[in-house]
Amino acid sequence: MEKFYNIWKHAFWHGDGDDFHYKITLGSQKFTLFLNSITTTHFRPLTVVLHGPAGVGKTALAKKWMLDWTQHNLPKALQSAFYLSCRDLSCQGSCTFEELIAKKWPHVQEAGPEILSQAQRFLFVVDGFDELRVPSGSLVHDICGDWKKQKPAATLLGSLLKRKLFPKATLLVTTRQGALGELRLLVEQPLFIEVEGLSEQDRRDYFLRHFGQEDPALRALEAMESNPVLSRMCAAPAVCWVVCKCLQVQMEKGDDPAPTCHTATSLFLRFLCGQFAPGPGGFPGPRPRATLSAVCLLAVQGAWEQTSVFDREDLGRLGVTEADLQPFLDRSILQEDADCEGHYAFVHLSVQQFLSALFYVLASDAQGDGDRPPRDVGDAQRLLSKEERLRNPTLTQVGHFLFGLANEKRAQELEATFGCRVSARVRGELLRSVSAGSQPFSSVARVKEAVSRLYESQEESLVKEAVAQVEVVSLRLQNQTDVLHASFCLQHCENLQKVSLQVDKGVFLENDCMSESDTWAERSKHDHYALCLWTDLCSVFSSNKNLSSLDVQQSYLSHSSVRILCEQITRVTCHLRKVVIKNVSPMDAYWDFCLAFIGKKTLTQLSLEGSFHGDKMLVLLLCEALKHRRCSLQYLRLGSCSDITQQWDDFSLALEINQTLQFLDLTDNEILDEGVKVLCTMLRHPKCFLQRLSLENCHLTEACCKELSSALIVNQRLTHLCLAKNDLGDRGLKLLCEGLSYPECQLRTLVLWQCNITKHGCKHISKLLQEDSSLTHLDLGLNPIATGLWFLCEALRKPSCNLKWLGLRGCSIASFCCWDLASALASNQHLEALDLGQNTLGQSGLTVLLEGLKRSRRPLKTLRLKIDRSSVEIQKVLKEVGDSNPRLTIECEDTVMTRSSCCDFPF
């Protein structure tokens, strides 16, 4: 039993007693519930995987279960728990499984065959699967079930995990998340348990235990918790120890601990410098600097090789002596493995990552321009590349620390302690990594990474240089940390023009009724901090004179956060011209936004989309904004606002007063035919200044077309009308064409995408186009017109046809129609763009069409076709067309169904 207690005791690092760790181990609720469900009378083959970040207690939990397992009333002659370290297995040569476990449990060989019959009583702990360093595929190569057969250690482990060896035994595997994918392929029906480490209460207890007095402990705890990143890192007891040691030194000198906790880099640097603080008389001698370089080399080699344990062979290969490590061993930054003499590990992975970043600072300062890092260690450019970080996630935090070390004040602190300086070359690599590619801040994922790195630096000159050319930023705020990082960086984006925001649920808890697990005090504390950060972020809308566009979509806000944003919008120093608010909660947030827009002179484009059903107040507030004498709104989109028709009198009155609105987009509103009749009354009003109107997908039928036709005759300002995705049919189209045929009608663009128009409707269109109509842009996409193309071709041949753009995408046009189309294009005098995408014209049809275009000198500039790229003949004709008619651009599309861009309503 003493052997197992020693294994349990060695699971902890220097500085804390067993009672605290015992409490922490039992505090893992998920694992405790699982342990309670295991009984000594019911055994079944079971594989349990404990996974979680480095240092959160996976090994401690596994060894605690190992200790508990051996305390059951099992035969005295058999010890039934076996511990296998993957880091040791990586160095193990070929052997039998019997020999492998007999090294520490010699009684196994003495027990003989009897041990195999007791397999259901066995527990095998496979610790640190992520630390296994074996050739790819070796875990599944040549696996066997004979425990007396000699095999490579990796094969033996794979045989155990695949249950070829001791199939009835219980397996407990620990690993970090990065190796879970590979582990899933080896184990059968595993039970995954996430180890989360220290809870908030555990961290509080730890700080109280370390400081001994409540006041300094709580002061240090508050400083640590002010940084969400650092707070999450403190789920690992070793990081708690680093934080406490660092802040204790700061507070003993009378310094405020809060600035030290602003970033992880500042804390780890203060910790390191605090451990090697120079004595009276100034700078340290060369020895501390040399030992730092040696340890940093060891750390970075391990980071690139994805290992955190080093033996004497590793030291010799790198030219590092055990004497070099002694100052760090004395300060518990490095530790010698209690189970394996001559093996060393850093107190926590984050300490190794910090020292790895420091290697690049020291190396760039000490080496010449032509020198390179040691073998297997990439340079700073590789370290910061996306490809390397995907292959080796450990390098991500190393990169963050490297940004943190670019801070000038931290460089001075490093120089004062160790006599080494940060090289300017590192700064150049950091800038290149942030600004690589075109528009690096337009991708949400890239922005998240960039702002996180730049925040870590806390170096304003570096941030300003990195974001100097940034004009567009897309942010997804998933937690308070994202808000903190974004607010810091946006303050320095002087040329910023557009911000897109998505705020996830949980950033603000004020209106989150699902967070019942939090007390009112906890939610209030959470929101107070979140709102302070949000205020800093929103201040950019009133402080940046170039910022003109705001897009907030799919966001869970709160009453307070909306009001903070709206307060910034109302300021005279806010120059927003375009605002999009889409699918934002709470619903009454739209009221606050509309109040903020009343009298906002700079605002010219506004889009409000969401579920507004029954929200009459929104329409009333919007009408007030439209009627205000300072209103400059030119574009208005209202999505899913069915109440607009019920309050049409108010809206019509607002539009009569407002003489700036030119484009009204009511797409996806359930307006119905009755609503259109009311709308047409407004269109006939002499003070209606609308030029563009979209009624896409508004549940309209042919019954409204007569009213629309009448309004088009009276209203001579309306030039663009979209009726897409409404079941107008051929008879509805006929009624529209009657109005369009009047010379008073000035409509130039008509979108009839997916309106159930057939070849019969094409007759009416053809007649209209031959009568010198004002129509220049027509979209008939996704209508089954088929042979109705013949009527359109008849119109295209006429000199009176003024069409410049024609959309026939997905209209079931067959190959035999291409003869008429080629003939029409040869004589047409105005058409500049033709969309025939998603029509199967066949090789014969395409050939006829393209051959005609080779000789054409007509104005056609753009042609979109569905083309089989594998056809050699078609490719040949395409080249010939390009050579003979260089003005013509032929777009060869794939099978994706998209709206024709030429008839969308750009503003």
Side-chain angles (χ1 to χ4, degrees):
M1 186 64 65
E2 183 178 355
K3 172 189 285 287
F4 292 98
Y5 179 75
N6 287 333
I7 290 177
W8 153 248
K9 188 174 181 180
H10 289 158
F12 314 127
W13 38 271
H14 175 75
D16 289 290
D18 298 344
D19 58 334
F20 181 77
H21 281 88
Y22 186 81
K23 176 181 178 237
I24 298 307
T25 304
L26 294 183
S28 179
Q29 284 189 331
K30 295 178 183 177
F31 195 61
T32 303
L33 291 172
F34 167 71
L35 287 178
N36 292 338
S37 68
I38 300 294
T39 65
T40 58
T41 59
H42 179 258
F43 285 96
R44 62 184 178 87
L46 181 66
T47 301
V48 181
V49 177
L50 300 181
H51 63 97
V56 294
K58 301 183 295 295
T59 298
L61 283 171
K63 291 183 175 180
K64 178 63 173 65
W65 193 22
M66 190 174 177
L67 178 63
D68 291 345
W69 187 279
T70 60
Q71 291 177 342
H72 291 306
N73 295 323
L74 301 175
K76 298 292 183 182
L78 289 173
Q79 296 287 354
S80 55
F82 304 93
Y83 177 78
L84 300 174
S85 168
C86 287
R87 67 175 65 156
D88 293 342
L89 291 177
S90 299
C91 305
Q92 174 69 47
S94 295
C95 63
T96 67
F97 195 78
E98 179 185 28
E99 293 169 345
L100 186 66
I101 58 177
K103 282 186 176 182
K104 294 187 178 179
W105 289 272
H107 68 279
V108 170
Q109 289 179 317
E110 299 169 5
E114 180 187 356
I115 194 170
L116 298 176
S117 64
Q118 301 291 331
Q120 76 268 21
R121 294 181 178 272
F122 289 0
L123 167 68
F124 287 97
V125 173
V126 180
D127 189 29
F129 181 78
D130 54 285
E131 296 180 343
L132 192 65
R133 298 292 173 262
V134 294
S136 177
S138 59
L139 288 170
V140 294
H141 177 69
D142 196 27
I143 59 177
C144 72
D146 186 353
W147 79 314
K148 288 182 174 291
K149 192 170 184 179
Q150 193 172 66
K151 294 283 182 181
T155 300
L156 297 176
L157 178 60
S159 301
L160 179 67
L161 294 174
K162 297 286 283 185
R163 295 198 169 276
K164 297 299 181 182
L165 287 170
F166 297 93
K168 294 183 179 180
T170 298
L171 304 181
L172 180 60
V173 186
T174 71
T175 184
R176 297 177 195 164
Q177 285 95 330
L180 276 179
E182 183 181 1
L183 187 59
R184 287 178 191 272
L185 300 177
L186 293 170
V187 295
E188 298 178 1
Q189 298 182 328
L191 174 64
F192 290 98
I193 300 178
E194 183 179 5
V195 181
E196 299 173 344
L198 304 183
S199 65
E200 287 188 26
Q201 184 60 47
D202 294 333
R203 284 172 242 171
R204 178 187 175 92
D205 293 343
Y206 190 101
F207 274 65
L208 289 170
R209 175 189 178 90
H210 183 94
F211 282 90
Q213 295 181 341
E214 185 173 9
D215 286 346
L218 295 184
R219 188 179 171 204
L221 183 67
E222 182 181 6
M224 180 272 291
E225 290 180 338
S226 68
N227 184 337
V229 173
L230 201 55
S231 183
R232 286 195 299 272
M233 292 175 71
C234 280
V239 179
C240 269
W241 175 76
V242 169
V243 172
C244 289
K245 290 281 287 184
C246 175
L247 298 186
Q248 188 174 30
V249 171
Q250 296 291 305
M251 294 166 69
E252 286 174 354
K253 294 192 299 183
D255 295 339
D256 182 5
T260 299
C261 294
H262 278 170
T263 66
T265 305
S266 60
L267 184 130
F268 279 87
L269 181 64
R270 289 279 172 84
F271 164 75
L272 182 65
C273 292
Q275 299 301 301
F276 290 91
F283 289 95
R287 189 61 187 160
R289 189 190 324 177
T291 59
L292 178 62
S293 298
V295 171
C296 288
L297 175 60
L298 194 66
V300 76
Q301 190 76 33
W304 279 90
E305 294 180 352
Q306 301 185 61
T307 184
S308 55
V309 180
F310 310 91
D311 56 22
R312 291 192 177 107
E313 183 180 339
D314 296 323
L315 301 185
R317 179 163 50 91
L318 296 173
V320 177
T321 66
E322 293 186 71
D324 291 328
L325 307 185
Q326 197 58 50
F328 290 84
L329 289 167
D330 294 341
R331 293 161 175 81
S332 298
I333 298 173
L334 267 173
Q335 295 177 343
E336 187 170 7
D337 195 316
D339 294 323
C340 199
E341 184 181 354
H343 285 67
Y344 303 94
F346 291 94
V347 66
H348 188 261
L349 176 62
S350 57
V351 174
Q352 180 182 349
Q353 290 168 326
F354 174 76
L355 291 169
S356 298
L358 199 53
F359 164 82
Y360 290 95
V361 171
L362 300 176
S364 60
D365 182 56
Q367 298 174 354
D369 289 336
D371 294 337
R372 296 181 178 274
R375 182 174 59 88
D376 299 329
V377 174
D379 57 17
Q381 185 176 0
R382 275 186 62 196
L383 168 72
L384 298 168
S385 70
K386 181 180 179 180
E387 294 74 21
E388 288 295 341
R389 287 181 283 109
L390 288 174
R391 186 186 65 83
N392 182 359
T394 300
L395 298 178
T396 300
Q397 186 59 47
V398 178
H400 275 70
F401 280 133
L402 188 56
F403 268 85
L405 291 170
N407 181 278
E408 187 176 346
K409 290 182 179 179
R410 294 172 193 161
Q412 292 172 357
E413 190 170 356
L414 189 64
E415 182 179 3
T417 306
F418 294 99
C420 48
R421 294 176 295 173
V422 176
S423 170
R425 285 186 297 167
V426 172
R427 181 187 178 101
E429 293 290 352
L430 300 181
L431 287 171
R432 278 190 288 275
S433 72
V434 172
S435 58
S438 60
Q439 295 187 331
F441 278 70
S442 59
S443 160
V444 171
R446 292 191 65 182
V447 170
K448 185 182 180 71
E449 179 182 67
V451 298
S452 175
R453 288 174 163 185
L454 292 173
Y455 177 83
E456 190 69 26
S457 75
Q458 291 292 298
E459 182 63 44
E460 290 193 4
S461 62
L462 175 69
V463 178
K464 284 183 178 180
E465 189 172 351
V467 301
Q469 304 303 319
V470 173
E471 297 180 353
V472 178
V473 169
S474 299
L475 296 169
R476 181 179 180 184
L477 307 178
Q478 296 176 289
N479 47 52
Q480 292 181 347
T481 305
D482 292 342
V483 184
L484 174 66
H485 295 168
S487 62
F488 174 78
C489 291
L490 289 188
Q491 303 297 331
H492 299 92
C493 295
E494 296 180 355
N495 293 310
L496 189 61
Q497 297 178 20
K498 178 181 178 180
V499 174
S500 296
L501 285 176
Q502 179 183 343
V503 183
D504 281 12
K505 196 170 187 177
V507 175
F508 304 108
L509 299 180
E510 178 184 339
N511 297 98
D512 189 358
C513 300
M514 301 301 291
S515 302
E516 297 177 356
S517 58
D518 299 319
T519 65
W520 180 89
E522 289 172 335
R523 292 171 64 165
S524 178
K525 180 181 178 181
H526 174 280
D527 265 11
H528 175 74
Y529 180 63
L531 291 172
C532 289
L533 300 176
W534 178 251
T535 301
D536 290 339
L537 188 150
C538 292
S539 66
V540 72
F541 296 110
S542 60
S543 61
N544 191 326
K545 63 181 180 180
N546 295 313
L547 189 53
S548 60
S549 180
L550 169 63
D551 189 333
V552 185
Q553 298 195 32
Q554 313 297 334
S555 292
Y556 295 88
L557 302 178
S558 64
H559 296 305
S560 299
S561 60
V562 171
R563 285 166 189 157
I564 289 171
L565 176 55
C566 289
E567 193 274 331
Q568 296 295 329
I569 291 175
T570 56
R571 295 192 176 188
V572 293
T573 52
C574 174
H575 301 288
L576 286 177
R577 294 195 297 272
K578 179 180 179 180
V579 176
V580 176
I581 310 295
K582 182 177 182 180
N583 296 334
V584 171
S585 65
M587 284 310 302
D588 52 9
Y590 290 89
W591 300 358
D592 291 315
F593 282 118
C594 284
L595 282 169
F597 299 145
I598 295 177
K600 189 66 183 175
K601 188 175 182 180
T602 60
L603 189 65
T604 59
Q605 300 181 57
L606 174 62
S607 179
L608 300 175
E609 298 182 60
S611 300
F612 306 133
H613 304 293
D615 194 348
K616 297 182 179 180
M617 179 59 71
L618 173 65
V619 179
L620 290 174
L621 291 171
L622 190 56
C623 289
E624 289 302 312
L626 288 169
K627 290 188 291 185
H628 197 279
R629 61 183 179 83
R630 291 173 59 86
C631 178
S632 302
L633 207 59
Q634 299 176 33
Y635 170 100
L636 175 62
R637 166 156 168 70
L638 288 176
S640 303
C641 184
S642 59
D643 295 298
I644 188 73
T645 56
Q646 299 174 20
Q647 296 172 269
W648 206 263
D649 290 340
D650 295 323
F651 197 70
S652 297
L653 177 60
L655 291 182
E656 290 176 20
I657 296 173
N658 178 290
Q659 298 186 10
T660 62
L661 194 66
Q662 300 173 16
F663 187 175
L664 178 60
D665 186 351
L666 298 176
T667 298
D668 295 329
N669 283 287
E670 198 171 335
I671 292 179
L672 305 177
D673 296 328
E674 291 301 315
V676 170
K677 292 178 182 178
V678 181
L679 172 62
C680 288
T681 303
M682 181 195 72
L683 290 175
R684 293 189 190 98
H685 196 283
K687 289 189 176 180
C688 177
F689 289 88
L690 285 181
Q691 297 178 16
R692 304 183 179 201
L693 175 64
S694 177
L695 299 175
E696 180 175 337
N697 194 29
C698 288
H699 303 267
L700 310 182
T701 69
E702 64 179 86
C704 71
C705 291
K706 187 173 183 179
E707 287 288 340
L708 271 173
S709 181
S710 172
L712 291 175
I713 298 172
V714 177
N715 188 314
Q716 298 184 18
R717 294 190 178 95
L718 197 67
T719 59
H720 293 64
L721 176 62
C722 177
L723 297 172
K725 295 184 179 180
N726 290 294
D727 190 13
L728 305 181
D730 295 330
R731 289 188 292 182
L733 178 58
K734 179 182 179 182
L735 294 170
L736 284 174
C737 288
E738 289 176 1
L740 291 169
S741 64
Y742 278 76
E744 293 84 0
C745 178
Q746 299 299 310
L747 198 70
R748 294 198 299 271
T749 298
L750 178 61
V751 180
L752 297 173
W753 172 279
Q754 202 173 345
C755 287
N756 196 24
I757 297 169
T758 70
K759 62 181 180 180
H760 302 294
C762 291
K763 294 180 183 179
H764 310 303
I765 287 285
S766 178
K767 181 182 177 183
L768 171 68
L769 295 176
Q770 295 180 56
E771 295 176 350
D772 198 23
S773 166
S774 61
L775 212 57
T776 58
H777 290 68
L778 175 64
D779 192 347
L780 294 173
L782 285 188
N783 286 294
I785 66 171
T787 55
L789 178 62
W790 185 88
F791 299 105
L792 298 178
C793 290
E794 188 179 7
L796 289 173
R797 292 188 183 95
K798 303 293 183 180
S800 56
C801 178
N802 295 313
L803 272 188
K804 293 182 178 180
W805 193 97
L806 178 59
L808 299 174
R809 185 181 185 80
C811 287
S812 305
I813 297 173
S815 60
F816 63 84
C817 298
C818 292
W819 292 94
D820 293 312
L821 185 56
S823 172
L825 293 177
S827 57
N828 183 274
Q829 300 177 11
H830 301 288
L831 195 67
E832 297 178 358
L834 175 62
D835 186 355
L836 294 173
Q838 297 305 312
N839 289 290
T840 305
L841 304 180
Q843 182 164 314
S844 60
L846 286 170
T847 302
V848 168
L849 190 60
L850 294 174
E851 285 290 346
L853 292 173
K854 282 200 303 185
R855 299 182 298 273
S856 175
R857 293 295 179 266
R858 295 303 178 182
L860 190 66
K861 298 177 181 177
T862 304
L863 176 63
R864 182 182 292 179
L865 296 170
K866 178 182 178 182
I867 289 181
D868 181 4
R869 297 176 185 271
S870 63
S871 172
V872 177
E873 183 177 345
I874 293 298
Q875 293 297 329
K876 178 183 177 183
V877 178
L878 281 173
K879 185 179 184 304
E880 291 173 354
V881 172
D883 293 340
S884 61
N885 192 352
R887 294 184 306 165
L888 177 63
T889 300
I890 300 179
E891 299 177 0
C892 303
E893 62 169 24
D894 53 23
T895 58
V896 177
M897 183 66 71
T898 57
R899 173 74 70 83
S900 305
S901 60
C902 294
C903 269
D904 283 347
F905 282 177
F907 188 77

